[in-house]
Amino acid sequence: MSHQQNFSQTLWDQFKLSLFNIAYKIVGQNNQSLQITILLSLIQFIQLIYLPFQIQIQFAWHNIVLSGEIQKFLQYFTILRILNQQKTSTYLIAMYFAISVILLIAILVFLAAILEQLLNNKLLIMTLSIALKFLMTVGFVEILRLHFGFLVCKRDQNGQLKMLYTTDQICWTGSYIIHACIVIFSIMIMFLIVVIGSKLFIEIKNNKKNSFSMKEGSTYTFMFLYASLSMLTYSIVEQPKYSIIVILIQFSTSFLLFYKVHFKKPFYNKIIQKLWSVISGLIFYTNFMLLASYTFEHIIFIDTLKGWIVTMPMLLIILLQDEKQTINLIKANMIEQLSSQEIIQLSEFLIELCECYEKDKNKEILLLGFLEVHKFTCLNPKCAIKVSAEMSKKFKDNHIYTDKKMILKEIIQQIYQLGIQTYPLNVDLKLNYSYFLLEFKQQGQKALKEVDIAEMGCPSFEQQFLIFKMRKIIDDTYQKSTIAVNQIKYIQGKDRNIKYQFKQIKQLSEECAYQKISFWSTLLDENPNLQLLQKYGNLILETIQTLKKKLFKLQRNIPLDPQIQRLIEKFSKYVHNLDHNKNIQNANKKKLPSQQSEHQYLKNQEELTSYSYPVLVLELFGNCNQPTIIRNINQSFHSLLGYSKTDIIGKPLSLILQNTYLKLHNVFVQSYFSQLRQDQIQENQERIQFLIQKNKYVLQTFSINSIYTTDKGIFQFCRLRQDLCYNNCAYLIFTLEGKIESISPSCISILNLDIRLLQIRQLTIQKLFPYLMDNIDDYINKMNQIVFENNINSLSKSSDFEDQQNDQCVSQLYYAQLYEIQAKNYQFPSIEQRPQIFGYYLKVQINETFVPKENYLIKRNKLTHQFKFSIDQNSYIFEQVSQTASQYESIKNDSEQQIQEEPKEFVILQQQSFPSRKQFSMTILKQGLGCDIKTMRLFKGEIKEIIDLDQEDEEEEQIREKTQKLQLEEQKEQYQQIKIQNQEDLMYHLLNVPYSPLLKKLICILNTLMILMFAIAVGMYLVIIQTYNQFQSAIDLFAASNQRFASILKIQSNLQDLRGCYLNLEQYSMKSTGGKFVQLNYVELSHELEVLLETDKILTSANVQINQDYQSIINEFQSSNVQMFTKDNSYQNFTFTQAIEQMISKAITLNNSNITSFIDENEDFHYYLHNTLNSIPKFQLISQTYYYSNIQSLIDDLYIQENSFFILQFCCLIFILIFFQIYIYFHQKQIKEIIVLFLEIRENQVKKMINQFQMYLQLLQLSEYDEIESIEDEADVQEEQDYYLGQSNKFKKRESVFQMYNYQKVQGNFLFFFTLFITYFTYLYFSSTIIAEQTNSLVPLVNLTSFMPTQYRLIDNSIKEMLYDENAILFNQINSLQKLKQELESIQLLDAELHELNQKNEFILSDQYKQIFDDIYIQNPCDIIMANDPSVNSTACLNFNKDILQEGLAVAITNFIENAEYMLQQYSFYNKNAIYNNLTFNISQNHRKNYTCNIYNTRNGNANRKMQKVFIRICHMQLLKELQSYLNEHYTDLQLQLTSLFMIFCAISILIYFFVWIPLQSRFYSEFKTAREIQSLIPIDLFNNCQSLQTYLRYIKETFFY
């Protein structure tokens, strides 16, 4: 093999593995319920049964009426019913939407195959799973029908090949070819997707979560084959000529589908298998009856369709019958060699017997019979049943050798091994054997070995995927086995020794220490970089999380190694607190003996007498409809609640567990089984629950629960205890609505509330405690005073007297504390969601008098001696105070000791003792101004202080007041202070902070603006598409208006010629046509009348809507200003439309008349001829203006709409830009506010923590038993105190630097998408403007192209009428020779304008139109004329008027004008006195008429007549047709282009919204949560002591929690 071939093979193998990986991910997402599968299958049945009744083959039933009704009914379930006979643009929108679904799937699969990281995107995988499920079920037939429906064509009455399901699309011309190529390419991609998908989306085992799971996918492919071939033959086979081919293909493919589904049984689910057997059978039967009806109707059968209807229910009943057993166990034992498929079927059936024989007696009999027969028929000396019989005799106590399941599994394994020896190359057999080894024998290594052997056997594509899937399943099984019973062996086998574990944990802890040093060192910068701080914080959290996971895996079932334990203790001490892991380890050690004893009990079902505390054993069930059952209790439990064993064992848990807590227990059970936990022992945290006593009162208990998985079931072992409470408390349990469900017995003595009252009438908590629910935040987890309204007669009176007893309601005051009943401890840690609240319980205590404690003691010296002034001696006497007291006395708040006042004439002199520095520092705050002013006296040579007793009393009063004030402030601070107990408590306070309401509002605003922008884009698209369609219709109406006038004038020409024939005035024409001139004019008259009627129908049925700016034109068009004259010169006013109807009625009358009626004396003839030469041409300009105003109105509306939409879109985008920037700013600000909290920590604390981290790193370098004495600098007491109060002068606020992570990338992406949308809307705006300008430029060209033939015809008819009757009124004038000359000049100007417009618009017009215009006007138009008018032959055209047409129509028109001018000149030369002997024909005795009639009975006159009737008319019709075709095609292409752009816009919008915007919100929310987690790196003692941190905690608590 060459190098290029090797490279291609390697590339294909890699892509194939990527496809397998994608399919494995998607199959894992396929969790389809049985109900949805049945619904989808029934929809598919209706889609498939519709194929034999399609309209193309409907005649084959020979009953058009009945088959038509069935077809109409089934058509309601198809999309073509909506799109049938719609415009091509509507069909293209639906078709390209289907194509976009296919291409989206293909692109997503291709990207996921190339970029493996996309496989981790759950949203992408889910989207791909849903899209593929839709495509491969109900979406396939409809999408395929849309594709093939575009390719189905049929010839119309004119022989043109047009689409069957649209009204205006010609097949295989123009843009249709491009669309068809895209459709064919899309069909190929779709077939590739469904064929590969059907081979990959299979299950190797029965996935009970996905009822649509299949064993193999080739069978389901026949459903695609049946639908595809049926629609393909409908598209390419001509009907009804070759209908038998279509019927035979449908019959054969439906038979293959039924055969494969019914006999191969691809579905695991028996209900779905039976349903698809019925579906395929009914489809095959329907096609069979269709073939019978088409072939033998009226020959052998009659009313086959009715027979089909009658027999369908009977066939349905037959197919629904239960199938008999297809596995003959006796035959399987007797035959020496089975085929590979029989081996697989036999093994699967035996496995089913092995799993179900205990519950089904019939299967048990089959199993026992098979074992008995196999015992005697097996020729293998090492047969499992024989070996088990021999071993059971040797080891009678070992029940493994008599276990039927084990024996049968060994037999199945031997059957597989024998089959593999017989068929060594059979891959399916090896795959089934490997799955058996993995699932039923738990032998993963052997299963993997068999998979490797199977891979070497040249497996098919489908088998290669099964091999890949088996490997994935084995890998997943090994990963799940880490939490299985053999977890210790798995860990030891993976890690080998404890040193490797120690090195890993040491490396992680060292890495975390270095990261923390970098983290905290950032705070020491002068301007800390908060972005860098956030980055290091994320790294620390990731490292700690990895370390916790590693420790959790190690200590889950076994104690940690002492070396690792010491390392973790050091890490917790110096770096990061991991005490909870140590607690888990210690708890595991303590639990081990109790768990062993409990497990021993559950194994042997021993009594529970050995337990001194209450014990309860429950059996859990995974079925939500099966309640938890009480299996055993002990004597302590009986004493606790009063139940005996006979009262409670075997009863549901609802008997003893309060209703609200029963709901929590159900949540716990569902959580346990939803996690698919494989632990044999699972310990849960202690939790509170209320049990119901036998007297129906509730009792509060605390329980620790263990869950054990045994062979007999799953059991919960509950160990109960009661809390010792010295205060008498009452408990009331009530729902979220306030309904009281249960009460405790103490409610009788405390609240005078009995259980009987709850049984008699329903009480609510609002009735007993009216202020509780309104102030619920004041009582949640806090003891506070509450008012209880007690009805005195509530227990003695009936509820009928309640209203009369309201006056006797007494309010009492209690202390109460409210608790939420939530599922916090009832769910496993892996479930990350906010706990749901199920109710409340209220704890009520009696209100006792509260006596405050003596918190402050102010000491003062007690006087022992004092000086008194003696009047007798006239001096001070120093004497002892008579009163006795203790050395110190206390100042109390309520019971203050009054100091006895001394007489005013006495003063006290006291020795002042100076306080210590410490006392001064503590009391200086209590002293006021002037405290150092003292009264001093000289006494016995010493200076003494004289203290006034009144002054001392005042000071004592001030001190007491200040002390009380400080005491209250301290109590308030202590009450407000939030004490953080541990890391979990800190995380609870931080992580439960909800997302910012402002950011939520900004997200809502941005979502609303995005939806509004999308809605405006949809509206803009619909308006532009509708305007383009209206442009086409308006231009067609504009051209039709001129064409109607041209037809009226053409009929006028025919009437003039017929009159001349009747009066023998057309001698030249009769001679040149060989006397057939009359017949030719009759034919032309009839044909032109049909054209006129068709054109008028289009115009009169059109709905023309012109805006109010053109109201004057509308009024003029709708006014009755058209004067229609009769032969007697009387007239009547009509509107222009009514006047046209008058002309049409006269033309119809004249068309049915003979030639004698074509004279001026005939009123109808005169009415038509006179008015079409005068009134109708005059008001035709008004009609032309009216329809031109319709186009201008649309252009004006488009300008207004596109300006409005563009302004709205621009404003919407600007608002999105503004609010997005606000959103980014406030998100960045919020993250900064969270991170900036670290700046509140002082530098010495940061340095202290860094020293601790460095100390830990030094410890890692020493031996494990060495320690380092931590050296702490002694700080000044005042400085420490000031720090904790947040008043340090050394602490300075620092400026910080912060920028959001990937800020530039986010802004760049936003600007890119913003520019993309601006570009899209700008393109739409300018493209619409350009289209409107082009339309405005091309409309005059359309007008002139359709209007010019009318002018040539009108001038020719007017000249002929003037030559016939000199008194004829032309253009509302008598003797209108001068008017005719003016008209000739205007015609020349119009012809020049036509050429100028073509030259002006040459860059807009198509090349084909320009080529036709050149062929007609410049070159030779004869080929075009002959192609459109079979009556004109080559000779007549080429030789016409001296070969003038060979020089182009422009020369011929010039000649036409010259001839007209010559005839007018000859007419003006008439002299009544002259004798004209050179006249060719003697037409009339009237001298003037003979002269004038000879003027147009010449070659030039006849040439002009033929020019305007034939050549000019055909040439301009072809030009107009090509111009209209170009415009229609141009507008269709614009619609397609706009639709494609709009679809791209929708796809980009959806991708941006779901894959950019929503992930960005999720990332921002994750950053918010991560930033909160980074806050948890602050030590707990700082949170408890630092005032600023406490303020922050109180702020988030008050702001977000209440």
Side-chain angles (χ1 to χ4, degrees), residues 185-219:
F185 176 74
S186 178
I187 291 174
M188 294 170 61
I189 296 295
M190 182 171 63
F191 273 111
L192 185 65
I193 292 173
V194 296
V195 170
I196 295 177
S198 62
K199 291 184 176 297
L200 295 184
F201 299 147
I202 55 178
E203 301 278 1
I204 199 167
K205 62 178 179 179
N206 185 9
N207 185 3
K208 295 182 180 179
K209 293 183 180 180
N210 181 21
S211 57
F212 201 66
S213 59
M214 291 182 286
K215 305 174 186 177
E216 49 90 23
S218 59
T219 300

Side-chain angles (χ1 to χ4, degrees), residues 837-849:
I837 299 175
F838 289 82
Y840 302 95
Y841 75 88
L842 184 67
K843 179 182 178 182
V844 182
Q845 292 181 175
I846 298 175
N847 183 16
E848 298 178 353
T849 304

Side-chain angles (χ1 to χ4, degrees), residues 475-572:
D475 292 341
D476 293 343
T477 304
Y478 274 120
Q479 291 177 3
K480 290 180 180 179
S481 65
T482 57
I483 55 173
V485 182
N486 58 351
Q487 184 179 10
I488 300 173
K489 295 181 180 179
Y490 179 76
I491 294 175
Q492 289 177 349
K494 182 179 180 180
D495 297 330
R496 296 296 180 185
N497 53 61
I498 202 66
K499 290 183 179 179
Y500 177 72
Q501 301 172 9
F502 177 77
K503 286 181 180 179
Q504 281 187 323
I505 296 174
K506 181 180 178 181
Q507 182 180 358
L508 286 172
S509 63
E510 187 176 3
E511 182 181 349
C512 183
Y514 279 116
Q515 290 170 351
K516 281 209 168 188
I517 290 174
S518 302
F519 177 84
W520 291 101
S521 297
T522 308
L523 292 173
L524 298 177
D525 297 338
E526 183 176 357
N527 295 318
N529 190 340
L530 298 184
Q531 183 182 4
L532 195 61
L533 197 70
Q534 184 184 12
K535 176 184 175 182
Y536 287 137
N538 292 334
L539 293 175
I540 292 170
L541 292 176
E542 292 176 3
T543 306
I544 292 174
Q545 189 66 22
T546 306
L547 184 60
K548 287 181 178 179
K549 288 181 179 179
K550 179 71 66 177
L551 292 173
F552 181 76
K553 289 181 179 179
L554 290 176
Q555 65 187 15
R556 187 181 180 91
N557 292 316
I558 61 172
L560 282 180
D561 183 77
Q563 187 181 16
I564 299 177
Q565 187 66 38
R566 284 191 294 272
L567 178 64
I568 296 303
E569 290 175 356
K570 293 177 184 178
F571 182 81
S572 300

